Amino acid sequence: MPQAVWKESWKQKAKKLKSEVVALYFAWKDPRMPWYAKLFSLIIVGYALSPIDLIPDFIPVLGYIDDLILIPLGVALAIKIIPPVVMADARKKASEVQTKPKVWIGAVIIIGVWILIVTAVVLFIFKKL
């Protein structure tokens, strides 16, 4: 397979994933969504659109696991639990927007996780001293 075709297929997949994340955002706002689908969609959208990653990208290999594995799997699962009519309407809305929404709740959650990790490490170190 020529390299240009390979790159193009990855670009198309990435573009589709971004579009699906925006569609999940609109589905999350839909009142027809079940509560569990809303909650899961909020987590996925918050994390995907967050300006902060749980595992920073500068960490070799691990930094890209969330971008390459966790987000696509989360999006796929969310789409499976969302009613098809809601997802179809959300995809239509997503195709009409020009910029992706900013979801800061993901950043807040990730900062909270990092604070808990640092606190646990500090407490562990103090107990060992």
Side-chain angles (χ1 to χ4, degrees), residues 52-81:
I52 301 171
D53 284 344
L54 182 61
I55 304 168
D57 289 343
F58 64 82
I59 297 173
V61 181
L62 293 177
Y64 291 105
I65 286 178
D66 62 339
D67 298 332
L68 296 174
I69 297 173
L70 295 179
I71 292 174
L73 285 176
V75 168
L77 181 59
I79 289 170
K80 289 204 180 286
I81 63 174

Side-chain angles (χ1 to χ4, degrees), residues 45-117:
V45 169
Y47 186 69
L49 299 180
S50 169
I52 301 171
D53 284 344
L54 182 61
I55 304 168
D57 289 343
F58 64 82
I59 297 173
V61 181
L62 293 177
Y64 291 105
I65 286 178
D66 62 339
D67 298 332
L68 296 174
I69 297 173
L70 295 179
I71 292 174
L73 285 176
V75 168
L77 181 59
I79 289 170
K80 289 204 180 286
I81 63 174
I82 293 173
V85 172
V86 173
M87 198 61 203
D89 290 346
R91 283 183 176 128
K92 184 178 178 198
K93 287 179 186 176
S95 70
E96 296 169 356
V97 297
Q98 298 298 321
T99 59
K100 68 180 183 179
K102 294 200 183 334
V103 180
W104 288 97
I105 192 161
V108 171
I109 291 169
I110 291 167
I111 289 170
V113 168
W114 277 108
I115 289 171
L116 288 173
I117 290 170

